Amino acid sequence: MGRGGRIKYFLAVLTCANLAFAAAGCGAGGGVQDENAGSVQTADAETAKTAGESDAVSEQETEPEQAAVQDPQEWAWDAADEQTLRYAFANEFGGRAGVCVPMAALSDAARMEIVKGQFNSVTMENEMKPDSLLGNKPNIGEDGFPVLSFTVPDMMLKEIKAYNDTAGKDGRKIMVRGHVLVWHSQTPEWFFHEEYNVDKPYVDQQTMLARMENYIRQVMEHYEGEDSEYKGMIYAWDVVNEAVNDTDGGMRTDSSWFRVFNNADFVEQAFVYANRYAPAHIKLFYNDYNDTNPKKADGICRLIEQIKANPEARIDGMGMQGHYDMDFSDVLFKQSAKKYAAVVDEIQITELDLKASRGFDGTDMEEEYQKQAEVYQSLYDAVKSLKQEGVPITAIVFWGTDDRHSWLQSANAAGGSADGTRVQCPLLFDKEYEKKPAFWAFVDDSRLEQAE
Ligand code: GLA
């Protein structure tokens, strides 16, 4: 192939399906996106042009390179991949296998081996949250807005990038779920107050919207800007987390976001700004827990409808956090997933773990492991049957690599059996990083039956 032919070939493979690394947009988000054409196009047309140009330039210097394949069902594998979560998920329901990692995992080689050996999606446990980027004390720039600090999450992104360069097969490359832009928790209180001073009143709504827009713009520029070394690594953002209450599906009121607005407008606006600044290949999610509660699911769907009614907003997906327990109901799970699928294009299980059985005292771990594997198996069967019914679940993300490091081990607000005093075993690898029966529930359930 001559040079001209090679350039054409390269540009041709930069198709819509292959764009996640190229940061261009061909209208992800289906109907919602189409309505947005006006606001999205300007930014995207520019990005598409620049991405095409710079790729063509670098292609002239190097051999033609096949653009990354982003459809899990198209990934090529070899024997080394076979007993991995990412291989199983790609083949069995066409989704990514994800895990949350904190910074501390970076200095734990064995833990990073699990991440790199099993998964192709990573969510930072805390490091991309507003309190991490904004810091404890306000650092205000000349423009009057907080200056964000990305030093901590970027250490993890550098590690992932270096791994991706050597990973070889597309299905082994790790993409990042951005978590989270707008949340009532883990956001410094000063962010909501006049002069960034908690002793002053809350700011008015216009000021708060300007702060929100500036925050989202800074995040997107840092990760997707023309010169960003991380461009294309993030494939989804949780734009808003946990805005709906657990009782009647209305708005959560114990939130400084809500106190400033007194309605759901801040949620809608967050999706307007995310759409304005994120390239179209980044999927924009609403994320929440108690996601199988029918009233809450209905409330979330109402909120999503409000977002969709705004022509400047875009929402692509629903993140079912999936902090479940041993009373997990696959029936309720499927019912809720179908409700979400009626209003968004895709669903991800974004923070999956299982609290131990009620009354579990930590003595018979093997029995609890077995029970847990069965619950995970029923969840996985539900995911696969939803897929058959056309409900697109595009990732299952576990909230941690191993039982030693689960947030459920310490006192927290999770309730139920996770009160900080009871042993928990919520994940797929045990405290010694060994595979548990729950791992085989996903990867090869014939081994699970043998273990019974
Ligand atoms: C919520 C958040 C997560 C995490 C968990 C608990 O689900 O979305 O980021 O904080 O709580 O660890």
Side-chain angles (χ1 to χ4, degrees):
M1 204 187 283
R3 166 155 300 176
R6 281 194 283 129
I7 291 173
K8 265 196 224 135
Y9 167 75
F10 189 89
L11 292 174
V13 294
L14 270 172
T15 57
C16 233
N18 295 337
L19 279 176
F21 281 98
C26 289
V32 188
Q33 182 67 48
D34 293 340
E35 291 166 19
N36 292 341
S39 65
V40 176
Q41 249 170 9
T42 329
D44 288 345
E46 259 177 44
T47 325
K49 181 163 153 267
T50 327
E53 278 172 4
S54 58
D55 285 325
V57 169
S58 60
E59 192 276 342
Q60 284 167 13
E61 289 153 12
T62 55
E63 280 307 298
E65 199 185 323
Q66 183 83 33
V69 173
Q70 292 303 324
D71 178 355
Q73 282 169 322
E74 302 284 313
W75 284 331
W77 302 97
D78 63 34
D81 296 299
E82 270 172 27
Q83 290 196 338
T84 63
L85 291 158
R86 59 190 174 215
Y87 173 85
F89 288 8
N91 291 326
E92 295 197 62
F93 71 93
R96 285 185 178 270
V99 65
C100 100
V101 282
M103 274 308 292
L106 264 187
S107 51
D108 181 343
R111 206 163 155 199
M112 288 309 289
E113 267 319 295
I114 295 180
V115 174
K116 295 169 185 173
Q118 292 289 335
F119 297 96
N120 50 21
S121 171
V122 152
T123 308
M124 301 235 53
E125 187 161 9
N126 290 303
E127 293 75 1
M128 282 187 178
K129 290 175 177 173
D131 59 354
S132 167
L133 304 186
L134 288 163
N136 290 335
K137 293 207 177 116
N139 171 17
I140 307 305
E142 282 176 8
D143 61 1
F145 291 107
V147 178
L148 306 189
S149 168
F150 296 94
T151 317
V152 177
D154 288 359
M155 287 163 71
M156 180 61 80
L157 262 63
K158 280 185 175 50
E159 172 83 10
I160 291 173
K161 197 167 178 239
Y163 157 75
N164 283 348
D165 288 343
T166 61
K169 305 239 180 290
D170 288 329
R172 293 182 196 150
K173 289 186 179 148
I174 294 175
M175 302 283 283
V176 176
R177 287 195 93 259
H179 175 76
V180 50
L181 295 171
V182 172
W183 189 22
H184 68 281
S185 178
Q186 290 189 256
T187 302
E189 183 58 22
W190 55 257
F191 191 49
F192 300 97
H193 291 264
E194 287 176 6
E195 296 168 41
Y196 304 106
N197 179 345
V198 291
D199 297 328
K200 306 252 165 148
Y202 282 120
V203 293
D204 59 42
Q205 295 177 9
Q206 283 314 311
T207 307
M208 203 61 232
L209 286 179
R211 289 183 185 183
M212 180 199 274
E213 176 168 13
N214 180 274
Y215 181 88
I216 292 175
R217 185 175 60 71
Q218 283 194 61
V219 172
M220 293 304 165
E221 275 177 5
H222 180 76
Y223 288 114
E224 305 302 327
E226 214 33 63
D227 301 326
S228 171
E229 61 183 291
Y230 312 106
K231 196 170 156 117
M233 289 184 72
I234 297 179
Y235 75 108
W237 264 103
D238 289 328
V239 177
V240 177
N241 202 25
E242 303 178 348
V244 170
N245 75 40
D246 294 326
T247 41
D248 64 1
M251 290 295 288
R252 167 194 285 277
T253 54
D254 57 338
S255 146
S256 292
W257 281 110
F258 186 82
R259 287 185 200 109
V260 172
F261 286 86
N262 267 301
N263 58 37
D265 289 358
F266 72 94
V267 177
E268 188 184 319
Q269 281 305 122
F271 284 90
V272 168
Y273 299 139
N275 184 37
R276 188 170 295 167
Y277 298 109
H281 73 85
I282 293 189
K283 301 300 179 73
L284 305 179
F285 277 75
Y286 175 76
N287 194 50
D288 214 328
Y289 67 98
N290 272 350
D291 43 73
T292 63
N293 170 328
K295 271 196 189 152
K296 188 163 178 180
D298 291 340
I300 290 171
C301 290
R302 284 194 298 273
L303 183 61
I304 291 175
E305 293 289 12
Q306 175 179 340
I307 298 163
K308 286 170 62 175
N310 186 326
E312 289 186 69
R314 167 165 68 96
I315 178 165
D316 301 300
M318 168 64 196
M320 300 175 72
Q321 287 189 4
H323 292 295
Y324 300 133
D325 58 27
M326 300 293 274
D327 300 325
F328 170 78
S329 157
D330 56 345
V331 174
L332 283 180
F333 172 78
K334 285 170 78 174
Q335 273 173 12
S336 305
K338 285 180 186 169
K339 287 180 186 172
Y340 300 133
V343 291
V344 288
D345 289 347
E346 62 182 281
I347 295 168
Q348 298 194 336
I349 303 176
T350 53
E351 305 183 18
L352 183 57
D353 56 16
L354 285 181
K355 276 177 252 171
S357 305
R358 272 172 227 283
F360 176 59
D361 63 5
T363 46
D364 195 342
M365 293 305 284
E366 291 307 320
E367 188 190 28
E368 184 67 9
Y369 283 0
Q370 200 58 35
K371 282 193 202 160
Q372 182 204 40
E374 284 161 23
V375 175
Y376 270 132
Q377 194 177 23
S378 77
L379 180 142
Y380 196 38
D381 285 344
V383 167
K384 288 182 282 187
S385 92
L386 283 166
K387 163 85 184 168
Q388 297 300 320
E389 295 176 59
V391 174
I393 297 185
T394 56
I396 300 178
V397 179
F398 295 88
W399 206 243
T401 44
D402 62 276
D403 290 346
R404 183 188 296 268
H405 296 101
S406 165
W407 71 298
L408 292 173
Q409 301 294 4
S410 51
N412 56 53
S417 65
D419 60 3
T421 66
R422 291 178 185 274
V423 174
Q424 297 291 320
C425 49
L427 298 165
L428 308 192
F429 292 80
D430 69 14
K431 289 185 165 186
E432 312 307 323
Y433 302 164
E434 296 295 332
K435 291 169 184 153
K436 294 163 56 186
F439 173 87
W440 297 112
F442 291 97
V443 170
D444 178 2
D445 59 3
S446 67
R447 295 188 55 152
L448 187 62
E449 277 141 31
Q450 281 164 22
E452 274 172 347

